[in-house]
Amino acid sequence: TNTSFDEESWALRFAKEIPKDDMQNHVESLMKMARCQYTYPGGDFWDVKSIVVSLCNINGDYFANVSTRLRADIDVVKAAFGSGRVGVHTIKKVPQTLYQANHDIAALAISACTDESPNWGDRSSIFHHFGPQVTSCKLFFLAWVQRGWSVRNHYGRSLPFADDHSVILEAVKIAKNGSVSQIFAGLPGTLREDKEFMMKAVEANPRVIKEANADILQDFGYLLHGIAASKASLLYFTHKDKDFDLIADFAAEVRDRLFFVDTVVLHFFGSISIGGNKRAKHRRTGRKRDNRLNCQLHLLDIGGEGGEWIKRNIAQFADIPVGSDLKLFRSAIENLEYWGY
């Protein structure tokens, strides 16, 4: 389409002359004006819902011109926030009562904001504009965390859902930058002592690894899950002697356990150390069996599934990593070696 200056000027003049009753028939012309990103003169067309929705679908910041009546219309608000072009000033023009009645719209507003790093004053003003009823709801809290905006400055040390582990784990998973530390600062200290919770948290986000209390941080299983989950987990340890010794000792133990698996267990227990009953598989397919995978104690190959359950029980009793546990060990040593441990 031709977007010459004359045609655009004509469109602006045309908009002024449209009778209110006939505006529904001229949505396309008004949309064209929006694409030209003109500043519109005041006019009745800002009070026509179909036109306003069309304009806000193009650029959410046109919501600033919408009539007071339509600012409280949920369809108009959804169109503005769904456009992907919404500034802080637009978010604050939506009535607080609409946010309070529709928490999902409040969360959408935070996600749709195109101001990547609004200053502290802007963030504070929109946070308080929503009101405590909205900011304490799950959807809003998770949207705020996902944006990477300060949790400490706005929620302080008393987070909503502190007792709901599923919500906190979801927040930890999507948290960015320093938000993880800020989230844990607002949680009860007892959670740092809860090994099961901390294991889930460190698997969700490697930044969590140093948030555990001293006892859990010394736990081999906790370190194994955290370091195996991501190479990035080791970035959160410092080069101080205490941290270096902790990781060096952990790396040595992982190597010792893997050496035992690779040199003894593979030949003694056969298939279980590499995750699966190869003998049964070869029996079904008729393929030639690799004798190196057979258990050297032939009695353990007797029984259902080649005595697999007996061998697994022995491995469990001897604390030998097999199956998914063995994968954790191999992932951990790979990540450790990446950083030179």
Side-chain angles (χ1 to χ4, degrees), residues 20 46 51 80 82 134 141 174 178 198 200 206 214 244 274 285 314:
K20 185 171 182 178
W46 292 113
I51 294 175
V134 174
F141 174 65
I174 61 177
M198 292 305 299
K200 292 177 180 178
F244 179 80
I274 56 175
T285 61
I314 294 174

Side-chain angles (χ1 to χ4, degrees), residues 14 44 47 55 64 92 101 109 130 132 162-164 181 188 198 210 216 227 231-232 236 242 246 332-334:
F14 180 67
D44 289 334
D47 194 48
L55 295 173
K92 292 191 290 185
F130 289 110
D163 297 326
D164 189 332
S181 296
M198 292 305 299
K210 288 292 294 291
I216 292 183
I227 293 175
K231 294 181 178 71
Y236 304 98
K242 185 177 180 181
L246 174 67
I333 200 64
E334 180 182 342

Side-chain angles (χ1 to χ4, degrees), residues 230-244:
S230 171
K231 294 181 178 71
S233 60
L234 288 159
L235 290 172
Y236 304 98
F237 290 92
T238 66
H239 294 292
K240 296 179 180 178
D241 291 343
K242 185 177 180 181
D243 278 357
F244 179 80

Side-chain angles (χ1 to χ4, degrees), residues 22 25-27 35 54 62 96 113 122-123 174 179-180 193 200 208 216 230 235 240 248 266 268-269 276 290 316 341:
D22 196 32
N25 299 322
H26 299 280
V27 173
R35 293 190 186 99
S54 298
Y62 291 128
Q96 188 183 68
C113 183
D122 283 339
R123 290 199 304 268
I174 61 177
S179 296
V180 169
E193 303 168 3
K200 292 177 180 178
V208 170
I216 292 183
S230 171
L235 290 172
K240 296 179 180 178
L266 179 61
F268 183 76
F269 285 112
D290 186 346
Q316 184 177 3
Y341 285 97

Side-chain angles (χ1 to χ4, degrees), residues 188-203:
T190 52
L191 270 185
R192 297 173 186 264
E193 303 168 3
D194 186 333
K195 181 180 175 181
E196 182 181 354
F197 171 81
M198 292 305 299
M199 292 270 274
K200 292 177 180 178
V202 78
E203 288 176 348

Side-chain angles (χ1 to χ4, degrees), residues 91-318:
I91 293 174
K92 292 191 290 185
K93 286 186 178 293
V94 177
Q96 188 183 68
T97 52
L98 188 143
Y99 287 135
Q100 291 173 345
N102 303 274
H103 293 171
D104 58 324
I105 299 297
L108 180 60
I110 298 302
S111 301
C113 183
T114 50
D115 294 335
E116 289 296 329
S117 301
N119 60 47
W120 184 89
D122 283 339
R123 290 199 304 268
S124 183
S125 65
I126 61 175
F127 186 86
H128 289 100
H129 177 72
F130 289 110
Q133 180 183 335
V134 174
T135 58
S136 61
C137 80
K138 172 185 173 181
L139 290 174
F140 183 91
F141 174 65
L142 292 176
W144 191 271
V145 170
Q146 190 164 32
R147 286 308 300 261
W149 293 350
S150 175
V151 174
R152 181 188 297 113
N153 289 343
H154 303 288
Y155 283 98
R157 293 184 175 273
S158 181
L159 290 185
F161 309 104
D163 297 326
D164 189 332
H165 292 187
S166 62
V167 175
I168 297 302
L169 286 173
E170 193 173 346
V172 165
K173 185 175 182 179
I174 61 177
K176 300 177 181 178
N177 304 324
S179 296
V180 169
S181 296
Q182 295 182 21
I183 290 171
F184 272 85
L187 298 177
T190 52
L191 270 185
R192 297 173 186 264
E193 303 168 3
D194 186 333
K195 181 180 175 181
E196 182 181 354
F197 171 81
M198 292 305 299
M199 292 270 274
K200 292 177 180 178
V202 78
E203 288 176 348
N205 192 327
R207 295 181 177 91
V208 170
I209 197 163
K210 288 292 294 291
E211 298 296 333
N213 73 350
D215 291 337
I216 292 183
L217 196 55
Q218 298 286 332
D219 183 85
F220 182 84
Y222 175 73
L223 287 176
L224 179 65
H225 279 76
I227 293 175
S230 171
K231 294 181 178 71
S233 60
L234 288 159
L235 290 172
Y236 304 98
F237 290 92
T238 66
H239 294 292
K240 296 179 180 178
D241 291 343
K242 185 177 180 181
D243 278 357
F244 179 80
D245 291 344
L246 174 67
I247 301 303
D249 291 345
F250 170 77
E253 185 170 352
V254 171
R255 281 195 178 85
D256 288 345
R257 299 276 288 276
L258 284 176
F259 178 79
F260 182 70
V261 168
D262 293 338
T263 59
V264 179
V265 177
L266 179 61
H267 300 290
F268 183 76
F269 285 112
S271 63
I272 66 163
S273 65
I274 56 175
N277 188 346
K278 299 295 184 181
R279 179 174 182 174
K281 180 178 179 180
H282 286 298
R283 187 187 302 122
R284 291 193 301 269
T285 61
R287 294 170 58 189
K288 185 177 180 180
R289 191 169 67 245
D290 186 346
N291 290 328
R292 292 176 299 174
L293 301 180
N294 295 338
C295 180
Q296 299 304 305
L297 296 182
H298 302 298
L299 287 175
L300 294 183
D301 278 334
I302 299 174
E305 291 299 318
E308 190 75 10
W309 67 274
I310 299 177
K311 290 182 280 187
R312 287 193 175 277
N313 283 339
I314 294 174
Q316 184 177 3
F317 177 78

